[in-house]
Amino acid sequence: MTATPLSDVMDKEKAINQAEKSCIEHGGKLTPKRKVVLELLLENAHPQSAYELADLYQQKLGEKIPAMSVYRMLEFLIEQGLVHKLASTNKFLACSHITCTHKHETPQFLICDNCQSVSEVGVDTKLIEALEKSIQQNHFQLNSPQLELHGLCEHCQQQ
């Protein structure tokens, strides 16, 4: 699934409603500022840095917000499973499964080095288990099973 903006108001509203419900279920709260940051990620096709989000926030609300505040909001959204951080680019994107209520596989991100598009796909559980077993056998502690693979998307390959 390629990261695309949720331009359909109904889909964005559904995602925000599900996010609010999920936060409450996990003992958190989707504050108005956190909600705006999540909306900005849902509206943008490409991952955004905290500084880009601070600029977008100011454009949208006419109110400055420090990048450090955005980072704290993003941390909360990540903890709630609503946002992913791409470690290789230090950018953030909304989870493509916000409106789903079932458990998902470990995310794998296919990042196009040309157009910066990102596709979020699940990794087969058996593959992750095999990787974790190999990692444990080598006495290494895995902090995150998230995979980020860089290359060229189908569109950029055809150019």
Side-chain angles (χ1 to χ4, degrees):
M1 172 181 307
T2 301
T4 55
L6 280 177
S7 54
D8 184 335
V9 175
M10 182 70 109
D11 287 344
K12 188 169 112 180
E13 283 182 22
K14 184 178 179 183
I16 293 297
N17 289 338
Q18 183 62 38
E20 288 175 329
K21 182 179 173 186
S22 178
C23 287
I24 290 168
E25 289 173 358
H26 293 99
K29 183 177 181 189
L30 190 63
T31 64
K33 288 183 179 184
R34 290 172 178 165
K35 183 177 177 179
V36 170
V37 169
L38 181 58
E39 286 173 348
L40 291 170
L41 289 171
L42 290 167
E43 293 167 358
N44 283 281
H46 298 293
Q48 304 292 310
S49 71
Y51 289 93
E52 291 167 331
L53 287 166
D55 289 342
L56 291 169
Y57 188 98
Q58 183 176 4
Q59 291 171 19
K60 185 171 187 163
L61 297 179
E63 175 184 325
K64 279 193 173 192
I65 187 168
M68 287 310 298
S69 294
V70 174
Y71 275 116
R72 285 191 295 276
M73 290 176 219
L74 290 166
E75 279 302 314
F76 171 83
L77 295 170
I78 290 167
E79 289 169 7
Q80 296 295 314
L82 303 170
V83 167
H84 297 291
K85 178 180 181 181
L86 299 175
S88 62
T89 60
N90 197 30
K91 293 195 175 192
F92 304 85
L93 71 156
C95 178
S96 63
H97 302 286
I98 288 177
T99 57
C100 299
T101 56
H102 59 275
K103 186 170 170 32
H104 292 97
E105 298 169 315
T106 300
Q108 171 180 294
F109 298 98
L110 307 177
I111 304 167
C112 181
D113 290 325
N114 188 45
C115 72
Q116 312 314 299
S117 68
V118 177
S119 296
E120 179 181 349
V121 295
V123 179
D124 186 304
T125 306
K126 290 179 184 174
L127 176 58
I128 292 298
E129 289 170 359
L131 284 171
E132 287 174 344
K133 182 178 178 183
S134 174
I135 289 165
Q136 289 170 357
Q137 289 172 345
N138 285 286
H139 309 288
F140 189 80
Q141 179 181 339
L142 183 65
N143 292 329
S144 171
Q146 176 177 299
L147 300 174
E148 298 177 28
L149 303 173
H150 287 260
L152 293 176
C153 69
E154 184 178 10
H155 175 75
C156 290
Q157 290 175 47
Q158 296 172 359
Q159 292 182 346

